């Protein structure tokens, strides 16, 4: 009889740890898969909503061109010097090349400013040491 009681409590304890492991597994999936994907979708939607006339974009099909007209769910793209115009759905936009170039310029300017600041600090240190 004692044997049955001890095995019953062990089974109950292992059942509780199984549920705990299942909850931990769901939490891991949420934080490493679901949450980052939702964040990427939100950023893509924000990028698509901020498109304006004159932006240079790339579609998911690889078409590159300048936006000529923006509507609620679509946009018209001018793709070449021949002034070929194609209408695309907004969800087909992969990236905004104009915004990426501006971000790269800002990043380069920030790096140059940091480099200049470091050079000034080094010059000040050398001036102090030479005195």
């Amino acid at each position: 009889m004692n044997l049955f009681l001890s095995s019953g409590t062990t089974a109950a304890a292992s059942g509780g740890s199984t549920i705990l492991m299942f909850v931990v597994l769901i939490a891991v999936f949420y934080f490493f898969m679901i949450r980052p994907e939702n964040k990427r979708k939100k950023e893509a939607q924000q990028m698509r909503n901020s498109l304006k006339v004159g932006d240079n974009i790339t579609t998911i099909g690889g078409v590159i061109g300048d936006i000529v007209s923006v509507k609620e769910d679509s946009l018209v793209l001018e793709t070449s010097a021949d002034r070929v115009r194609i209408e695309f759905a907004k969800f087909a936009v992969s990236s905004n090349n104009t915004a990426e170039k501006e971000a790269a310029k800002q990043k380069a300017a920030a790096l140059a400013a940091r480099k200049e600041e470091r050079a000034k600090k080094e010059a000040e240190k050398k001036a102090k040491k030479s005195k």
Side-chain angles (χ1 to χ4, degrees), residues 81-95:
D82 295 338
R83 299 183 62 137
V84 176
R85 292 185 177 191
I86 306 171
E87 186 171 0
F88 286 97
K90 274 191 176 180
F91 69 83
V93 176
S94 173
S95 63

Side-chain angles (χ1 to χ4, degrees), residues 109-129:
L111 287 172
R114 278 192 228 142
K115 241 182 189 179
E116 189 176 310
E117 189 176 312
R118 286 182 190 153
K120 285 181 183 178
K121 286 182 181 180
E122 290 294 323
E124 288 175 4
K125 284 182 183 180
K126 287 182 181 179
K128 285 182 181 180
K129 285 183 180 180

